[in-house]
Amino acid sequence: MRHFLDLKDFSTDALQSMLDDGLRMKAAQKSGESHAMPLAGKTVAMIFEKPSTRTRVSFEVGVVQLGGTPLILSANDLQLGRGESVEDTARVLSRYVDVIMIRCFQHETLLTVAQHATVPVINALTQRSHPCQLMADLMTMIEYHGPLAGQSVAWFGDGNNVAVSWIEAAVRFGFQLRIAGPQNYAPPADLLAWARSNGGDIILTDEVGLAIDKVQSVVTDVWVSMGNDEGSRRADFAPFQVNAELMKAAAGDAIFMHCLPAWRGMEVTSEVIDGPQSAVFDEAENRLHAQKAILAWCVSGN
């Protein structure tokens, strides 16, 4: 079954093929050319335990552009895990739809759906990882700086779900990833061990100068993710804010990325996110095309 659960599940060639397809689909749409409709006559169930703007709109539009029918389901629509079990929900939905996309809290929920579904399942975000976002980010890096191997990325923030997918991407594509944040907010130790055992060039530091030095892509995320308590996070992450002064130490052609929504004045200043180095809206647009490529891959073997 062609599930899309985490980047580490795939070879570099498979991921690159999806990225190339996404870039081709984007170019075709910009030029007004038609492209294949791999979802013609197919229905994609889109399950949302967590609300979303970009995921909801980009997936729904992408399914339609590929000729399919999107079916939006909130947690309240399904009573997921509270009434009918997750296992039975996956089995039942598989009898009605051709693909299941799920955005949920627990990664175990995703894995359970994938284990019991008989149609492809796509991870549209869990508390562990966010691979669809990374595919859009990688597309953006290619558009600005070419092939991914040998590039450099600085991540400012905690070891959250997006950071986890950045680590997996760095291993698969051979670019350097510098993770800057307080030591007690580091990414999962098991993932770091996996990355380093597979040749990943991953640097963990609490020195912003080391992370930003001549780096090509600067990335951050909100300091308080959905479902997290704020606690002391504002104070802990204040030294890692991405601002104009920090960006001066990056490479001359460096871009700034953020998965959005952003809190201007906290993790990033308005001067940066709205400035000439910002690629955040190209990045957001690329969610549409990267996910169309993922959807096409999921159904191409089924």
Side-chain angles (χ1 to χ4, degrees):
M1 192 57 56
R2 288 195 161 207
H3 299 317
F4 186 84
L5 306 182
D6 277 307
L7 299 184
K8 63 181 175 60
D9 300 333
F10 295 90
S11 68
T12 303
D13 288 345
L15 292 171
Q16 185 65 58
S17 179
M18 286 183 240
L19 292 171
D20 291 343
D21 284 346
L23 289 164
R24 280 193 291 268
M25 289 178 182
K26 182 177 182 179
Q29 181 170 310
K30 296 291 186 184
S31 66
E33 298 175 13
S34 60
H35 55 69
M37 295 287 190
L39 294 182
K42 299 182 184 296
T43 301
V44 178
M46 298 167 52
I47 302 172
F48 290 91
E49 276 192 337
K50 298 180 74 171
S52 168
T53 297
R54 277 149 296 280
T55 300
R56 162 72 188 269
V57 176
S58 60
F59 260 109
E60 186 169 359
V61 171
V63 170
V64 172
Q65 288 185 0
L66 295 181
T69 301
L71 176 64
I72 312 300
L73 300 166
S74 72
N76 289 334
D77 294 325
L78 294 174
Q79 295 291 305
L80 190 64
R82 288 182 288 173
E84 190 169 32
S85 70
V86 175
E87 293 87 344
D88 286 353
T89 299
R91 293 185 183 106
V92 169
L93 285 178
S94 296
R95 300 298 181 102
Y96 300 143
V97 304
D98 302 282
V99 180
I100 298 171
M101 182 231 82
I102 182 167
R103 179 180 170 95
C104 57
F105 286 96
Q106 300 301 321
H107 199 73
E108 290 73 18
T109 301
L110 167 77
L111 298 180
T112 300
V113 172
Q115 180 182 355
H116 294 278
T118 54
V119 298
V121 174
I122 296 173
N123 175 6
L125 178 142
T126 70
Q127 288 181 332
R128 168 78 180 186
S129 61
H130 199 356
C132 288
Q133 178 64 53
L134 256 292
M135 292 296 278
D137 295 350
L138 296 172
M139 274 186 62
T140 308
M141 289 170 62
I142 292 169
E143 289 177 327
Y144 277 88
H145 293 136
L148 295 167
Q151 290 195 38
S152 55
V153 177
W155 167 269
F156 289 87
D158 69 353
N160 66 8
N161 51 1
V162 183
V164 163
S165 291
W166 269 111
I167 291 168
E168 295 181 3
V171 172
R172 287 292 177 253
F173 287 100
F175 58 82
Q176 184 182 77
L177 178 62
R178 311 170 193 173
I179 299 174
Q183 292 182 3
N184 56 327
Y185 293 93
D190 62 327
L191 178 68
L192 291 171
W194 170 85
R196 286 165 174 156
S197 68
N198 283 275
D201 187 359
I202 313 295
I203 298 171
L204 266 63
T205 181
D206 56 7
E207 298 180 19
V208 295
L210 175 63
I212 197 71
D213 185 40
K214 297 182 176 59
V215 77
Q216 292 173 286
S217 295
V218 180
V219 195
T220 191
D221 196 359
V222 294
W223 293 341
V224 185
S225 297
M226 189 184 305
N228 287 345
D229 293 330
E230 182 174 321
S232 62
R233 282 174 173 265
R234 288 190 191 224
D236 294 344
F237 287 101
F240 300 93
Q241 181 190 70
V242 179
N243 52 45
E245 189 63 28
L246 186 69
M247 290 295 292
K248 289 178 182 178
D253 62 348
I255 60 172
F256 171 76
M257 293 192 288
H258 190 305
C259 62
L260 300 178
W263 289 20
R264 288 167 170 80
M266 289 186 63
E267 73 272 9
V268 61
T269 61
S270 297
E271 189 176 6
V272 171
I273 196 171
D274 298 319
Q277 290 176 286
S278 177
V280 296
F281 297 107
D282 293 331
E283 177 188 8
E285 178 184 354
N286 284 339
R287 286 288 300 274
L288 170 64
H289 306 292
Q291 289 162 183
K292 286 194 295 185
I294 292 166
L295 285 161
W297 176 84
C298 284
V299 301
S300 65
N302 297 279

